[in-house]
Amino acid sequence: MTNKRFLILAPYFFPYQNPRARRVLKLIEQLDKKGFKADVVCSSRSLKPNYLSDNIKIHPCGFNSIKEKFSKLSGIPSSKKDPSSIGSKLKSVAKGLNGVFLKSFYWPDDSFVWMKKAKATCFKLSENNSYDAIICFSLPYASLIIGEQLKDAYPNILWINDIGDPLAFQSKNLINNTWLYEKQNQKTEQRILNKANLNIVTNEGLKRIYQQKLKIQEDQLKVVGPFNQVGYPAKEQAVDKAFSFLYLGTFYAKLRSPKRLKLMFKDILKQFPNRNPKLWIAGPIKSEEAKLFQSDPSLKDHVTIYPFLNKEDTQDLIQKSRFLINISNLSEHQLPSKCADYVASGLPIINVFELENDVSSAYLKEHPMVFKYNSSLVNANQTVKMKGFIDEHNNKLIQQELSKDLLSNSSPEYLLQCIMNLWKR
């Protein structure tokens, strides 16, 4: 089957470092390793990693978002280090314009600016090449809109969608004006998912919603969890290392609030007054989020914020940590991508959740060292149990073989296997 050729639509691609871009790159590395050919249609800021072979061609075109259109440095790590730079200022202006005005009207999301050039590029490539399959990555949703148009024009081609978040059902983190487009979002998503040969989602919660609310058939859905991107097995730690708790990633006011992390860590401080617990927060933290921790006198000597870390520094911080903290989304269909990195590390995990059908808890259910901290049900009994968990698992790791087994359905190899199985139907 190595003669297969793929057309891949990925608005975000290398050197972007968000979870979607890294997932695309991981799959392309697998395609290249197996000898497949692929044309990747991505945004104008994209680059081809020099280690990929000539079988992989990238076709940068257009802007994947309003932010990228306004700032050449949008999404590149160096632009974030200097908030006074022109690129950072333009990005800030674009974000304000998007949130205040444009978001009230555009559809399907801010990737609408990419669609015209991306569509023209895809159809030109399809006229000059014979593709066996189209693979579309979302969000953003523009790739799926174009994918549907390609499927209509070339009905015999296989069409696969890899979906991180849905277009509809985004009550906590709206991507367009649902007052105008709620029905259109659902109708479009239902139509697209039904047309596709396979729709890959990262968690069982989203699969369940698609089946129950959009009536998508079982054989059109497959769960492939997030990929390990920065995690690797932690080493045995010396007892004199910092008594540290690490949170990686982004906060969202409604979906993943930093207040829940603060609440949980203050519980830890109460239980370990003589151990000097340290909370390390690493990610693109906003000033108001940082202030939530920095303005509290009781946290002053315990919390350190690392706003800008590359992959190597992030891995080093994981190595120095005793426990990892996951803040579950207040959503039954959105799984934080960091969960795979956490499992790969082998470190014990504290999962802060609220929902009964918590997708993080479901994803981590086979992990032997996870404490579920219900931030909507804070009481002395739970706090005592958390102390017991920390005492029992301090300086412990799960075995690497178990970690690999837990990630067997969260890997680029498994994603490619699911795609290749379409030719066996």
Side-chain angles (χ1 to χ4, degrees), residues 73-87:
L73 298 178
S74 174
I76 309 302
S78 59
S79 71
K80 298 177 182 179
K81 293 182 179 180
D82 182 8
S84 65
S85 70
I86 293 175

Side-chain angles (χ1 to χ4, degrees), residues 175-235:
I175 60 175
N176 60 34
N177 186 339
T178 54
W179 187 80
L180 289 177
Y181 300 122
E182 183 174 12
K183 289 184 179 179
Q184 185 176 350
N185 288 343
Q186 292 195 28
K187 286 182 178 179
T188 301
E189 192 150 35
Q190 184 175 45
R191 187 184 68 246
I192 282 176
L193 297 180
N194 271 313
K195 280 187 181 181
N197 298 91
L198 182 64
N199 301 288
I200 295 164
V201 296
T202 61
N203 63 88
E204 292 289 345
L206 184 52
K207 178 183 176 183
R208 182 170 57 250
I209 285 175
Y210 279 158
Q211 287 180 306
Q212 294 176 354
K213 295 191 177 183
L214 299 184
K215 310 302 179 185
I216 308 303
Q217 298 301 307
E218 172 77 22
D219 64 355
Q220 290 179 289
L221 293 166
K222 192 72 177 178
V223 176
V224 180
F227 299 162
N228 168 32
Q229 297 170 359
V230 298
Y232 68 106
K235 300 172 184 176

Side-chain angles (χ1 to χ4, degrees), residues 16 71 88 109 141 148 207 238 256 260 276 341 381 398:
Y16 277 92
S71 173
S88 294
D109 49 41
Y141 213 78
E148 180 184 25
K207 178 183 176 183
R256 199 188 305 158
R260 295 160 62 202
N276 192 25
D341 301 303
N381 185 47
I398 66 171

Side-chain angles (χ1 to χ4, degrees), residues 7 29 38 66 102 144 172 181 199 208 210-211 220 244 246 254 266 282 295 306 312 334 341 357 360 375 401 406 412:
L7 177 59
E29 289 170 352
I66 301 296
L102 291 176
L144 273 64
K172 299 291 184 181
Y181 300 122
N199 301 288
R208 182 170 57 250
Y210 279 158
Q211 287 180 306
Q220 290 179 289
S244 53
L246 172 62
K254 294 182 180 180
K266 293 192 83 165
S295 63
Y306 302 88
E312 291 73 23
Q334 291 170 290
D341 301 303
N357 292 324
S360 293
S375 55
E401 287 304 312
L406 292 172

Side-chain angles (χ1 to χ4, degrees), residues 149-186:
Q149 295 169 346
L150 288 165
K151 179 68 172 178
D152 289 342
Y154 301 92
N156 293 327
I157 198 170
L158 290 177
W159 179 23
I160 301 105
N161 296 318
D162 188 276
I163 301 167
D165 296 300
L167 176 64
F169 319 116
Q170 292 262 35
S171 61
K172 299 291 184 181
N173 189 31
L174 301 181
I175 60 175
N176 60 34
N177 186 339
T178 54
W179 187 80
L180 289 177
Y181 300 122
E182 183 174 12
K183 289 184 179 179
Q184 185 176 350
N185 288 343
Q186 292 195 28

Side-chain angles (χ1 to χ4, degrees), residues 295-313:
S295 63
D296 189 325
S298 68
L299 299 178
K300 180 180 178 181
D301 297 325
H302 299 277
V303 178
T304 304
I305 296 175
Y306 302 88
F308 311 111
L309 288 181
N310 59 27
K311 181 178 179 180
E312 291 73 23
D313 290 339

